[in-house]
Amino acid sequence: MSRLVQVRQRHGIDRVIAHLQACLRAGDPLPELEGLAAIAHQSPYHFHRLYRALTGETPGRTVLRLRLAQALHLLGKPGSRVTDVALQSGYESPQALARICRQMLGATPSALRDDPRLRAQCQQRLVLPAADNAPAEPALQVRVLTLEPFDVVALRTRGAFDDLDQAFGRVFAWAAGAGLADELQQLIGIALNDHRDVPARACEFDCAMGFGTNVAAPPPPLRVLRLGGGDHAVLRHVGSYAGLEAATDALLRQWLPDSGRVLRDAPLYYHYLDDPEDVPEAILRADICVPLAAR
């Protein structure tokens, strides 16, 4: 048994995968995210992020993979018909099954039905979560730090990850108008969902700045948030800021399982240490700060 499988079992993730598979086989409704978190005995607050870190895929992607694996199993039965298999597997139409077969396997349902060897190869590709086929990762240098709470002025934005600089610019413009530009100490980002998994129009992010002085309530839509406080696992990321989500996955996958620590129901955040306009992308620095429950 691989270490990753052991970790998933310890965190209840494989129990979730088994439950999803049973629902698909029985044709039962799939649980919402909160229900899946309860099956894993995990807090809903960080469940989606932890699930992705330990499997390499979202719960939705797992359902897609398991449903397609079920369809391939049915295609292997004598006398199977593509239309029947599509409907029995939960697809709206044979065209929907054909589309996903082409996208994920590069073959048509008919070809998969008629070629046992091709079907077996494709079934093997669908057996395991994506993370099980990922290459080995270098060791991480994670520090556990007790951080003092601090306030930031935040602006929630929705849109493409690459356009976040516009929102930070709006916060800074307010700060300059309020005479706080010279007091700027922290540039903070809080991802409310994963830009790798949602369309750009649905990507939500809190762009925030911390100042070395008390800040009066800013005008909406700006607001004051309190971050930090208590123990945090801190990982220094070097490189494109677009890689912060993948680095967070690595922290949760590699360091957390053997750390003896548990995630706390509080936002994890990114502390940007460099300005992309002044520093080359390859050497940009940011600290990933993950809140930990008290011992």
Side-chain angles (χ1 to χ4, degrees):
M1 183 184 297
S2 73
R3 176 182 178 276
L4 191 54
V5 172
Q6 292 176 329
V7 170
R8 281 203 302 267
Q9 289 180 348
R10 194 186 319 160
H11 288 274
I13 301 299
D14 276 4
R15 190 163 55 247
V16 170
I17 295 174
H19 184 81
L20 291 173
Q21 194 164 36
C23 288
L24 290 173
R25 286 175 177 167
D28 294 338
L30 297 171
E32 298 292 336
L33 193 65
E34 291 76 10
L36 296 178
I39 292 168
H41 299 160
Q42 296 287 341
S43 164
Y45 203 93
H46 293 293
F47 171 73
H48 187 277
R49 188 180 294 274
L50 185 63
Y51 186 97
R52 197 190 201 287
L54 296 181
T55 64
E57 59 192 23
T58 64
R61 185 72 178 181
T62 298
V63 169
L64 192 68
R65 176 174 58 81
L66 294 177
R67 177 170 282 137
L68 186 53
Q70 179 181 349
L72 263 60
H73 172 71
L74 294 175
L75 284 170
K77 292 188 174 183
S80 64
R81 299 173 65 247
V82 171
T83 297
D84 294 338
V85 167
L87 298 179
Q88 291 172 23
S89 302
Y91 295 96
E92 295 180 354
S93 65
Q95 291 77 19
L97 173 59
R99 184 165 54 250
I100 198 64
C101 282
R102 287 194 300 269
Q103 291 174 354
M104 293 187 66
L105 303 175
T108 66
S110 297
L112 291 161
R113 178 193 60 195
D114 299 337
D115 188 338
R117 184 174 180 179
L118 174 63
R119 187 173 64 251
Q121 291 173 345
C122 291
Q123 285 175 310
Q124 186 62 33
R125 289 165 55 185
L126 297 171
V127 166
L128 300 174
D132 287 47
N133 298 314
E137 298 172 307
L140 300 177
Q141 300 297 318
V142 179
R143 299 169 292 160
V144 175
L145 303 177
T146 301
L147 304 179
E148 293 296 324
F150 61 97
D151 290 338
V152 296
V153 176
L155 174 64
R156 181 157 299 179
T157 183
R158 175 178 289 188
F161 180 81
D162 292 339
D163 295 336
L164 292 176
D165 56 335
Q166 298 177 18
F168 280 112
R170 290 175 61 187
V171 180
F172 186 78
W174 166 81
L180 296 172
D182 291 339
E183 301 291 333
L184 178 62
Q185 293 187 348
Q186 296 146 321
L187 199 63
I188 301 292
I190 306 169
L192 303 173
N193 49 27
D194 195 323
H195 70 88
R196 299 169 298 179
D197 301 328
V198 299
R201 65 181 181 277
C203 184
E204 290 189 312
F205 204 91
D206 278 338
C207 301
M209 293 182 177
F211 302 92
T213 185
N214 291 330
V215 176
L222 297 174
R223 68 196 195 285
V224 174
L225 297 178
R226 173 149 290 197
L227 298 175
D231 287 353
H232 285 68
V234 180
L235 173 65
R236 175 69 52 87
H237 170 74
V238 179
S240 170
Y241 287 158
L244 282 166
E245 297 283 7
T248 304
D249 287 351
L251 187 156
L252 297 176
R253 182 170 54 248
Q254 291 187 51
W255 178 83
L256 182 64
D258 296 327
S259 68
R261 305 303 298 263
V262 177
L263 298 179
R264 176 159 43 97
D265 286 355
L268 68 81
Y269 61 89
Y270 304 130
H271 181 190
Y272 302 108
L273 302 174
D274 295 310
D275 187 339
E277 294 186 3
D278 300 328
V279 177
E281 183 177 75
I283 57 173
L284 287 171
R285 300 169 303 150
D287 282 341
I288 302 168
C289 301
V290 179
L292 302 173
R295 286 184 179 277

